[in-house]
Amino acid sequence: MAGGVRARRKAERPGEILEAAFEEFVQNGYAATRLEDVAARVGVTKGTIYFYFENKEQLFVAMVRELSRPVHLQAEEFAASNSSTAPEFLRSYLCFLYRIIATDPRGREILRLLIAEASRFPALIDEHHQNFMGPVVRRLRQVLDDGNAKGEIRQSSVLEFPELLLAPALSLNIWMLLFSDRRPIDMERHFEIAVDLLLNGLLPRTTSESNKP
Amino acid sequence: MAGGVRARRKAERPGEILEAAFEEFVQNGYAATRLEDVAARVGVTKGTIYFYFENKEQLFVAMVRELSRPVHLQAEEFAASNSSTAPEFLRSYLCFLYRIIATDPRGREILRLLIAEASRFPALIDEHHQNFMGPVVRRLRQVLDDGNAKGEIRQSSVLEFPELLLAPALSLNIWMLLFSDRRPIDMERHFEIAVDLLLNGLLPRTTSESNKP
Amino acid sequence: MAGGVRARRKAERPGEILEAAFEEFVQNGYAATRLEDVAARVGVTKGTIYFYFENKEQLFVAMVRELSRPVHLQAEEFAASNSSTAPEFLRSYLCFLYRIIATDPRGREILRLLIAEASRFPALIDEHHQNFMGPVVRRLRQVLDDGNAKGEIRQSSVLEFPELLLAPALSLNIWMLLFSDRRPIDMERHFEIAVDLLLNGLLPRTTSESNKP
Amino acid sequence: MAGGVRARRKAERPGEILEAAFEEFVQNGYAATRLEDVAARVGVTKGTIYFYFENKEQLFVAMVRELSRPVHLQAEEFAASNSSTAPEFLRSYLCFLYRIIATDPRGREILRLLIAEASRFPALIDEHHQNFMGPVVRRLRQVLDDGNAKGEIRQSSVLEFPELLLAPALSLNIWMLLFSDRRPIDMERHFEIAVDLLLNGLLPRTTSESNKP
DNA sequence: GATGAATGAGATTTCATTCAT
DNA sequence: AATGAATGAAATCTCATTCAT
């Protein structure tokens, strides 16, 4: 039993601090967050933070990395999975991305921090692109290509900008970041409609000739 | 007529300061911006700022308002215009929105500031919604409704979330805020493809029966 | 009369601060000196110091330079003067050096700071050598050489280490720095005896008559 | 016999710590030295230092005492020795003092610390005077007196300030503390010339009448 | 004996804000 | 109108010291 409480505490400290840091940084932004408040949230004193992290900047970076990692892992895992048809996979993939980009408060707020502090922490942006956005876009392009080859996806220049498929999730993200307090959104419904829009577009399906000659 | 230059100078001061404030706030964020740097950019000293603005907070608010106003006015004006068919108007309206949301650096960076400081300046968010996003969405809904009535727009639940039509512009905005330094994007092309996607969707148009029963 | 008190104040501030800094740094050493105490000594607040000096390090450097300058100027001036014979000039030159190295508390304490912080402020050591010690030693060598040529100074290898003539002043300096509180020293007498020792040495003069009538 | 290494280790710890403390204190001065660095130099952690020493102040005091003791003992021993003539003894005594004051880096740096921290650790200064400088000066006075009585040393007021004989060593010490990095000094030669100067002075020996009427 | 997590006081530094000129 | 010296509160960061293990 020796070393129980102490040791357990120690092992958990960094995580606790990162968690608290996340909340404070999200609430106030990087510059306006006081390490003292982060410490207080954990129930320790300022000094303790410096025992685990070099300085405020490093704490921020570590926090973003820590909270991003599980998401990146999940995304990797999901991308590796497969489904029968392209539209089917697309639907489940987009659902997954919706969840981690727009629905999950964590992912949402991390994105806020990245947008806000992009110029101060370019390395984080790079990592985010390398570990998440890049692979996601590549996977989307692949699905579109394959689906197109199989005739499941129409011939379209969307293949040039597969990230357009993320647009509904990203715009919902912004909407939530800006207006969530004001007017609640039915995110499930938003997703359903977005998928419908992406798959079928706005123009009536009945006409045999397209309207853009 | 002596003092003409002076007088002109004086009249321009507030605008110069707001301009400088915009650049500094964008570069560093609200909290990390030093009024001294704003002043230096104008070529005056800190004290002068306090002659024209109550404090840092008010300067920020005034700056966002000042830079948003012309955009809001343009948007209002554009919304009042008309075109023959719904798809036609949609195309030109979206083009306009693309420009002020994603292509124009001003609009882009203002959105960054709103996202970053949403919790500190809720009033600005309200104004933004009231003067821009709200009217835009209302106009979009109206176009969709009218188009649908005329058979130009297919019957679709997109009418529930007209803001989905903004998704491409908003996501391009985020993309630019995050990755513009890294990877240049052909924004014209992005727009064309987005319109195509919105109008026609991903599924093949040719078959008479849709593939989503 | 406009701007009187204010302007006068402003012009004097840097000097006041340097003066106060000198006293605090001497009393506590570089690291243990608190800028708040320096400020309090002047009657201003911490912030004011940062209006005039970049940081603690620069304040220290500026202080040492400021207090050294007059001494260096005097030394230069004195070195330029002349006397009839070498021993005569030597006596008056050494008297002068005694004063600024060992007798004057300012010079004494500056040397303490240089010794204490040599490794942290190598530039100051360089300046001290370049502006003071170097020229002094060169002048001493010249006097010895000339005196030797004229037969006023005996042929001796002291010419190799003219700085040895500074030894009494420097050792008195150390003595004062270490033991001044404990045991008062008659510095006039110390000087007289040192000159006698340097000129005549310890060994009896070989000539038949005794050497100090 | 298990634990032999351990036991030896343990017995050596305090000495190791003092040694490490010496190096750190010399490098950074008292205030700027971090106990953590001292500990790291030994290969232990901060806590261990507190097992052997009460606090930072006591560590400093113990360190100075520890490193001074062997010097004081040697000095005592040497002072007890004798030589045929006064000038002979003087030469060897001064040589010894040169070594421990100016040539040996240890003695040199200890003096730097004493000069730097004189006001914070008056007790150390007292001890230094009582155990070293005082006895040395007394012995010098005695040699001068005896030599003078025997006619080996000329009648001179140097008897009033026998510490003047230490001046060359002390000034070399300062020179090394300040300028050693910059310009190397031939310390052997310095000593030889200093002895010559002390014994024979600067004035030509041949002239029968002194030059100071 | 030794560790190292934790503390908390204190130091440097920054900067929005004021106000006499 | 504008300046810029001065303030003072607050934030980051450091580190001697303690103590449970």
Side-chain angles (χ1 to χ4, degrees), chain B residues 150-203:
Chain B
K150 285 193 270 178
E152 297 163 353
I153 298 288
R154 79 177 169 91
Q155 175 58 32
S156 133
S157 45
V158 175
L159 303 187
E160 284 179 43
F161 282 116
E163 48 266 66
L164 267 173
L165 299 191
L166 296 174
L170 283 171
S171 82
L172 177 55
N173 177 295
I174 292 190
W175 222 267
M176 293 300 291
L177 290 180
L178 291 180
F179 308 127
S180 70
D181 301 337
R182 272 142 273 247
R183 225 158 304 264
I185 286 183
D186 180 344
M187 292 190 280
E188 285 300 322
R189 189 95 186 101
H190 191 277
F191 170 69
E192 290 302 333
I193 294 173
V195 169
D196 177 41
L197 176 63
L198 290 177
L199 294 181
N200 296 308
L202 289 168
L203 300 187

Side-chain angles (χ1 to χ4, degrees), chain D residues 13-22 38 42 48-49 52-53 59:
Chain D
R13 269 289 135 80
E16 287 174 359
I17 294 174
L18 292 172
E19 194 62 41
F22 168 71
V38 174
V42 182
T48 304
I49 292 182
Y52 293 101
F53 302 94
L59 174 64

Side-chain angles (χ1 to χ4, degrees), chain C residues 74-98 135-147 150 152-153 165-166 191 195 198-199, chain D residues 202-203 211-212:
Chain C
Q74 280 177 59
E76 217 173 316
E77 196 182 342
F78 198 107
S81 74
N82 252 318
S83 286
S84 49
T85 70
E88 237 169 76
F89 177 76
L90 221 48
R91 168 171 253 278
S92 64
Y93 196 30
L94 291 182
C95 181
F96 166 76
L97 293 169
Y98 243 78
V136 162
V137 170
R138 272 197 297 282
R139 185 69 174 104
L140 286 174
R141 170 172 285 122
Q142 187 191 32
V143 178
L144 292 176
D145 280 345
D146 291 358
K150 285 193 270 179
E152 296 163 355
I153 298 288
L165 299 191
L166 297 174
F191 170 69
V195 169
L198 290 177
L199 294 181
Chain D
L202 290 168
L203 300 188
N211 74 330
K212 221 186 94 203

